[in-house]
């Protein structure tokens, strides 16, 4: 029986080049943006994956080096969330959100024995959990901060009614920031019906077992839901308490009831 796994080579290179060129042509014809966006992103992604492949080939052989790779990924996720939140230095607090998200899931998987304490298992699953927690954290922080700026009058109204700063901010932050959980929920609800996520496809191509692929995918999906829920909950609290804030919005006057 032949393998169905995609292998590197000239056909793969040509196919990717054609698809990138086609996307660039669509950008150009429809005015979506610079036609260089997709080709440059594709080249960058290919180079990054080539470098990561070389690193992982050596790192996954040992547990300590695998954990080091995961730690580097965590640092990169923190910087990415901080940049997307547009919250200046205060975005460093989002480290707590990501740490809570991944800390609630990965240790549980390892302690249960479902995921073996091996680099080849910890890094891929940990990376998926971390990446999704990063996306939810970035989105929750950005939307929460946007809500405070756009609906500041409602915050002041809450303060005038006797709410604390935290509670008044939470009234506008929570509805906006919880939208960050919708993509993860939708993906879980529609898995197998609308989409076949990467973990499923990867395991299926590697093993040929649909049952094993399904087991890995449901583990990842539920883990992502827990990680995102925890990360967003912490992010909302940080924004409501003004630990994470926009630099130009830090000194807004408090309501003076006296």
């Amino acid at each position: 029986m032949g393998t169905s796994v995609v292998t590197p080579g000239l056909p793969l290179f040509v196919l990717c080049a054609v698809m990138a060129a086609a996307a660039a042509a669509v950008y150009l014809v429809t005015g979506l943006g610079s036609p260089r966006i997709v080709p440059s992103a594709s080249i960058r992604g290919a180079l990054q994956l080539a470098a990561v492949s070389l690193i992982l080939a050596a790192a996954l052989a040992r547990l300590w080096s695998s954990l080091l790779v995961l730690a580097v990924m965590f640092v990169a996720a923190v910087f990415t969330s901080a940049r997307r939140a547009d919250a200046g230095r205060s975005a460093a607090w989002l480290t707590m959100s990501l740490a809570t998200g991944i800390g609630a899931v990965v240790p549980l998987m390892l302690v249960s024995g479902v995921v073996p304490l091996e680099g080849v298992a910890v890094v891929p699953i940990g990376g998926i959990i971390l990446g999704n927690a990063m996306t939810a954290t970035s989105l929750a922080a950005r939307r929460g901060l946007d809500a405070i700026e756009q609906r500041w009058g409602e915050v002041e109204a809450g303060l005038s009614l006797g709410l604390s700063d935290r509670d008044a901010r939470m009234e506008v932050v929570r509805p906006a920031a919880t939208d960050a959980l919708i993509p993860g929920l939708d993906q879980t609800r529609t898995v197998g019906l609308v989409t076949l996520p990467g973990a499923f496809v990867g395991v299926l191509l590697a093993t040929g077992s649909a049952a094993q692929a399904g087991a890995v995918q449901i583990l990842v999906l539920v883990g992502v839901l827990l990680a995102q829920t925890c990360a967003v909950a912490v992010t909302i609290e940080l924004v409501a308490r003004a630990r994470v804030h926009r630099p130009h919005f830090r000194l807004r006057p408090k309501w003076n009831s006296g």
Side-chain angles (χ1 to χ4, degrees):
M1 178 177 175
T3 177
S4 60
V5 177
V6 177
T7 55
L10 182 60
L12 175 62
F13 172 79
V14 172
L15 176 59
C16 290
V18 169
M19 290 191 293
V26 174
Y27 265 73
L28 180 62
V29 172
T30 60
L32 293 176
S34 172
R36 295 192 298 271
I37 291 177
V38 174
S40 62
S42 302
I43 294 173
R44 177 176 176 176
L47 293 176
Q48 289 177 175
L49 285 173
V52 168
S53 298
L54 293 174
I55 294 172
L56 290 181
L60 295 183
R62 297 177 178 81
L63 180 59
W64 69 267
S65 54
S66 299
L67 295 177
L68 181 60
V69 169
L70 199 57
V72 172
M73 294 169 66
F74 180 83
V75 173
V78 170
F79 276 100
T80 301
S81 289
R83 184 176 67 253
R84 291 179 179 172
D86 191 24
R89 294 182 179 178
S90 71
W93 282 93
L94 295 178
T95 302
M96 294 178 58
S97 302
L98 291 172
T100 302
I102 195 170
V105 176
V106 175
L108 190 60
M109 290 181 172
L110 296 176
V111 170
S112 67
V114 174
V115 176
L117 189 58
E118 300 174 357
V120 71
V122 173
V123 172
I125 291 181
I128 293 173
I129 300 298
L130 177 61
N132 282 274
M134 176 194 71
T135 300
T137 297
S138 303
L139 190 56
R142 191 175 190 89
R143 291 195 174 180
L145 292 170
D146 286 345
I148 288 178
E149 290 191 359
Q150 296 166 5
R151 300 170 60 185
W152 182 252
E154 296 178 43
V155 176
E156 290 186 322
L159 293 172
S160 71
L161 294 174
L163 294 180
S164 65
D165 285 353
R166 180 263 182 195
D167 291 343
R169 289 170 179 264
M170 185 64 80
E171 288 297 314
V172 300
V173 170
R174 185 185 286 115
T178 50
D179 283 350
L181 297 173
I182 293 177
L185 290 169
D186 284 346
Q187 184 182 35
T188 303
R189 289 168 177 158
T190 61
V191 65
L193 298 177
V194 179
T195 61
L196 291 177
F200 181 93
V201 174
V203 175
L204 183 62
L205 290 175
T207 67
S209 170
Q212 187 172 353
V216 171
Q217 187 60 64
I218 192 60
L219 172 68
V220 168
L221 286 174
V222 178
V224 164
L225 289 180
L226 175 58
Q228 289 187 328
T229 301
C230 293
V232 169
V234 173
T235 301
I236 290 174
E237 194 67 34
L238 291 171
V239 173
R241 293 180 180 274
R243 295 292 187 272
V244 176
H245 54 78
R246 295 274 162 77
H248 60 277
F249 208 77
R250 178 176 52 188
L251 300 177
R252 294 303 295 262
K254 298 182 180 179
W255 181 269
N256 184 356
S257 58

